[in-house]
């Protein structure tokens, strides 16, 4: 078992980085994995390239360890959006309840599937201040609702959805969860979802080109693998014939995966499993509390939830419109990397956030307070 202190030492980014909700700089373990894998690929020694094919099983086993989905119900994806498109295009009819305020990967998947196949209808959920809650879903369910799509953690508000509560109100309808803003840092009840999709470039710190699609048995039975390539027809190369997709998650494969990307993602997943998601979540929660205290000390308005049950690692700062420029400038001038948008600034705190980074944030808030 890895300690949280050992895990935190794998963060090699420069001080001031607080933007894991956008992209997480590669961890030390992932960097070492990349070097090793490309050394293998560059030498091409006898038998080594063939052995790289084992990375697919490795990454699926690693995803299984964190999601508790069986490895044979998981398929590697190059990004979360690809997995969501597979899920949306695979739906065979009915209404899909999804908030228009969700990250566009969700809304575009639902709308594009509706436009192309004309078998589903996106129904735009009315939310509680952009928060997707079981109560609002219950109010808008109908007999035609076939599926609900939701982000585990909302990328704009930082709100941690109650997917267990959502499952209880939607019954046997399919629950499709975009996990990217919480995967690896929230110990969610993944087993209540039918579809779990994530990428590895944010909180997992595995770089772009990494992700997965995990399916429940019910999802496997109900989703049609519309985009199923030759690798989705089984382990053997289908020369001289065109086979049907396999019955399982593997059907949602288009071509051979990037084996180095699989290795990168597997290394990141194994790192988190070694320390435990609960330990990572606890470290993040402690760091979030410290940032909230700093924001309160300098009167920086916080609009994201302060409740530990409704948050992960994202804090949204939303001063008055005429003060947002001052906040953005203060963060920039003190070397703090954050996402500053039209109406707010989003801070993303991880388990490896250092004292030096928090001191840089304090200096930025001090400058902001002096300007307002």
């Amino acid at each position: 078992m890895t300690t949280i202190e050992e895990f935190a030492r794998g963060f090699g980014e420069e001080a001031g980085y607080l933007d894991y909700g956008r992209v997480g700089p590669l961890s030390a373990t992932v960097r070492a994995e990349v070097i090793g894998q490309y050394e293998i690929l560059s030498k091409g020694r006898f038998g080594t390239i063939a052995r790289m094919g084992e990375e697919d099983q490795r990454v699926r086993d690693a995803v299984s360890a964190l999601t508790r989905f069986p490895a044979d119900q998981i398929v590697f994806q190059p990004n979360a959006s690809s997995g969501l498109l597979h899920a949306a295009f695979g739906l065979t009819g009915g209404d899909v309840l999804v908030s228009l305020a969700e990250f566009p990967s969700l809304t575009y998947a639902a709308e594009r599937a509706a436009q192309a196949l004309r078998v589903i209808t996106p129904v735009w959920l009315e939310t509680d201040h952009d928060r997707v809650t079981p109560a609002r879903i219950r109010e808008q369910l109908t007999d035609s609702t076939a599926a609900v799509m939701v982000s585990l953690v909302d990328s704009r508000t930082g709100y941690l959805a109650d997917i267990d509560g959502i499952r209880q109100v939607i019954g046997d309808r399919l629950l499709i969860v975009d996990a990217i803003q919480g995967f690896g840092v929230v110990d969610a009840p993944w087993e209540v979802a039918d579809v779990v999709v994530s990428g590895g470039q944010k909180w997992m710190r595995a770089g772009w080109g990494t992700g997965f699609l995990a399916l429940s048995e019910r999802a496997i039975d109900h989703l049609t693998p519309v985009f199923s390539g030759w690798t989705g027809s089984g382990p053997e190369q289908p020369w001289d014939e065109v086979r049907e997709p396999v019955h399982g998650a593997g059907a949602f494969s288009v071509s051979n995966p990037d084996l180095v990307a699989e290795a990168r993602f597997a290394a990141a997943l194994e790192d988190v499993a070694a320390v435990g998601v609960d330990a990572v979540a606890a470290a993040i929660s402690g760091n979030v509390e410290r940032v909230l205290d700093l924001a309160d000390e300098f009167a920086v308005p916080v609009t994201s939830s302060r409740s530990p049950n409704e948050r992960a690692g994202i804090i949204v700062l939303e001063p008055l419109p005429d003060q947002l420029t001052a906040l953005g400038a203060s963060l920039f001038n003190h070397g703090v990397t954050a996402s500053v948008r039209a109406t707010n600034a989003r801070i993303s705190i991880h388990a490896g956030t250092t004292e030096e980074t928090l001191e840089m944030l304090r200096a930025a808030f001090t400058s902001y307070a002096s300007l307002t």
Side-chain angles (χ1 to χ4, degrees), residues 342-364:
T343 60
N344 58 48
R346 188 185 69 182
I347 301 289
S348 305
I349 304 98
H350 213 313
T353 297
T354 63
E355 291 293 332
E356 185 178 359
T357 294
L358 293 175
E359 285 304 310
M360 292 168 70
L361 185 61
R362 169 181 283 277

Side-chain angles (χ1 to χ4, degrees), residues 93-125:
D95 295 340
V96 179
L97 196 57
V98 58
S99 167
L100 195 56
E102 288 281 13
F103 190 80
S105 289
L106 285 156
T107 57
Y108 270 70
E111 184 65 18
R112 293 294 183 255
Q115 292 171 339
L117 303 181
R118 302 184 185 281
V119 295
I120 64 169
T121 302
V123 175
W124 305 122
L125 175 72

Side-chain angles (χ1 to χ4, degrees), residues 46-352:
F46 180 77
T48 57
I49 302 299
R51 283 199 297 273
M52 288 180 70
E54 298 173 4
E55 296 302 332
D56 186 70
Q57 184 66 50
R58 177 190 175 194
V59 74
R60 289 188 293 110
D61 286 343
V63 172
S64 176
L66 293 189
T67 63
R68 298 175 292 278
F69 278 69
D72 63 358
Q73 292 174 212
I74 297 164
V75 60
F76 182 78
Q77 297 288 301
N79 47 60
S81 293
S82 293
L84 289 169
L85 285 165
H86 274 302
F89 274 77
L91 294 169
T92 56
D95 295 340
V96 179
L97 196 57
V98 58
S99 167
L100 195 56
E102 288 281 13
F103 190 80
S105 289
L106 285 156
T107 57
Y108 270 70
E111 184 65 18
R112 293 294 183 255
Q115 292 171 339
L117 303 181
R118 302 184 185 281
V119 295
I120 64 169
T121 302
V123 175
W124 305 122
L125 175 72
E126 295 181 9
T127 62
D128 179 7
H129 299 92
D130 290 340
R131 298 178 177 184
V132 177
T133 65
R136 297 314 299 267
I137 289 174
R138 181 190 293 112
E139 294 169 359
Q140 295 167 70
L141 286 174
T142 70
D143 292 341
S144 299
T145 306
V148 173
M149 300 179 77
V150 63
S151 294
L152 177 69
V153 176
D154 186 86
S155 64
R156 287 198 292 192
T157 66
Y159 177 71
L160 174 62
D162 177 8
I163 61 171
D164 191 24
I166 291 172
R167 165 54 69 199
Q168 292 178 36
V169 303
I170 70 172
D172 61 0
R173 299 169 176 88
L174 290 181
L175 176 56
I176 300 170
V177 178
D178 178 0
I180 195 167
Q181 289 291 5
F183 184 69
V185 298
V186 174
D187 192 15
W190 303 114
E191 59 275 6
V192 306
D194 294 294
V195 178
V196 178
V197 177
S198 186
Q201 79 274 21
K202 297 181 186 287
W203 301 89
M204 291 303 303
R205 300 144 62 228
W208 289 286
T210 57
F212 70 88
L213 170 66
L215 302 174
S216 70
E217 292 184 2
R218 179 168 51 184
I220 290 171
D221 288 339
H222 284 79
L223 295 180
T224 299
V226 175
F227 297 103
S228 182
W230 65 273
T231 53
S233 65
E236 298 178 358
Q237 292 189 356
W239 293 99
D240 303 318
E241 62 176 318
V242 178
R243 301 174 185 166
E244 291 296 313
V246 297
H247 181 71
F252 296 87
S253 171
V254 175
S255 187
N256 282 324
D258 180 339
L259 301 178
V260 177
E262 287 190 319
R264 281 192 280 116
F265 197 22
L269 292 159
E270 291 159 358
D271 239 11
V272 171
V275 68
V277 175
D278 54 347
V280 176
I284 290 173
S285 183
N287 287 335
V288 167
E289 288 292 344
R290 296 183 66 184
V291 173
L292 289 173
D293 288 344
L294 282 176
D296 291 343
E297 180 180 347
F298 293 96
V300 184
V302 174
T303 56
S304 51
S305 178
R306 293 173 178 266
S307 169
N309 295 326
E310 296 180 348
R311 71 177 195 221
I314 291 175
I315 294 176
V316 180
L317 309 173
E318 192 165 339
L320 294 173
D322 61 345
Q323 297 175 354
L324 179 60
T325 300
L327 177 59
S330 296
L331 293 170
F332 180 86
N333 291 338
H334 288 276
V336 176
T337 303
S339 289
V340 180
R341 295 169 170 166
T343 60
N344 58 48
R346 188 185 69 182
I347 301 289
S348 305
I349 304 98
H350 213 313

